[in-house]
Amino acid sequence: MLKDNVNVGFVSASTSIRRGNKKTTIFIILVLTLIYLNLVFLPSLTQGMVYTFILPIRDYEFGDIVVEPTGDNAYISDVDNVLLKIESIDGVEGATKRLGTGGSLQYRQKVVPSARILGVIPSGEEAVSKYPDIVTQGEFLGKLARDEIMLGASLAGIGESSETLDTLEGVTVGSIITVRYSNGVEREYKVKGIHGKGTGI
């Protein structure tokens, strides 16, 4: 019975195609192709974009939730108490505080005039980001590190993307670089390690 129904359907479809308008047939095939692409290709594209762009931002730059100062405030006042409240929330696996600013970096005659500088607590980063896992040279900052710095591979002049950017080419683990912050403060840091992302911390 099923075989007869299939045969009847096949004969009816082939007869309809032979007798029908060729433009209509092409249009139907086009619509079915677009439907297939919509069901298969677009979800794959969306998932690929998530893995390529969104997950790295979450894993390195922001985490799942970011708490920022309100209004014109440059900093969160009483940040330690805010951090304690966040850590006490059910389901929170880790939290840390960061301090972001701008400045310039110099190593010998090489200068990067504008760089994003991120102050971190090393032990906190181990709980909320994957920076400690992508160190390619040297090692991640120690728990009591104060005069040490991590550099991104591009900033250190390593990799293809560094060819079009200002870099500290020649800098290695153990080198001393000068950081001039946007508020005019100048300090020297020892390069503790170089990691695979483009930023410096």
Side-chain angles (χ1 to χ4, degrees):
M1 185 68 177
L2 178 61
K3 184 178 179 182
D4 292 338
N5 289 338
V6 171
N7 288 335
V8 170
F10 178 77
V11 171
S12 298
S14 60
T15 303
S16 175
I17 291 173
R18 284 197 302 268
R19 293 181 178 177
N21 189 331
K22 289 185 178 180
K23 291 183 179 178
T24 303
T25 304
I26 293 172
F27 178 73
I28 292 172
I29 294 172
L30 179 63
V31 169
L32 291 174
T33 303
L34 291 174
I35 291 172
Y36 174 79
L37 290 175
N38 186 48
L39 292 174
V40 176
F41 178 72
L42 287 181
S44 301
L45 178 65
T46 304
Q47 188 175 14
M49 291 177 65
V50 168
Y51 279 101
T52 303
F53 300 107
I54 297 176
L55 291 183
I57 290 174
R58 185 196 71 181
D59 291 342
Y60 303 107
E61 298 296 327
F62 298 116
D64 293 305
I65 298 175
V66 179
V67 179
E68 295 183 333
T70 58
D72 295 330
N73 297 323
Y75 311 101
I76 297 176
S77 58
D78 202 13
V79 66
D80 291 325
N81 279 337
V82 174
L83 194 61
L84 286 174
K85 289 179 182 178
I86 293 172
E87 291 174 333
S88 67
I89 297 174
D90 228 11
V92 173
E93 297 181 2
T96 190
K97 53 188 177 181
R98 291 176 172 176
L99 181 61
T101 186
S104 67
L105 309 177
Q106 181 175 352
Y107 173 67
R108 296 180 179 172
Q109 304 303 316
K110 297 285 185 177
V111 178
V112 176
S114 179
R116 177 174 173 265
I117 302 168
L118 193 62
V120 301
I121 298 175
S123 57
E125 290 300 312
E126 293 174 0
V128 301
S129 81
K130 293 185 178 180
Y131 276 123
D133 301 330
I134 58 169
V135 178
T136 56
Q137 296 181 26
E139 55 187 23
F140 194 67
L141 300 171
K143 292 183 179 180
L144 300 177
R146 292 192 57 84
D147 297 317
E148 297 173 340
I149 192 169
M150 298 290 300
L151 295 178
S154 297
L155 195 57
I158 302 171
E160 296 178 2
S161 60
S162 65
E163 295 176 1
T164 58
L165 302 172
D166 291 321
T167 69
L168 300 177
E169 187 177 357
V171 70
T172 59
V173 174
S175 299
I176 304 297
I177 68 171
T178 301
V179 177
R180 296 180 181 87
Y181 293 97
S182 54
N183 62 1
V185 175
E186 182 176 310
R187 287 189 63 181
E188 290 187 341
Y189 294 91
K190 178 182 179 181
V191 177
K192 184 69 177 290
I194 297 173
H195 59 74
K197 306 301 286 184
T199 55
I201 61 173

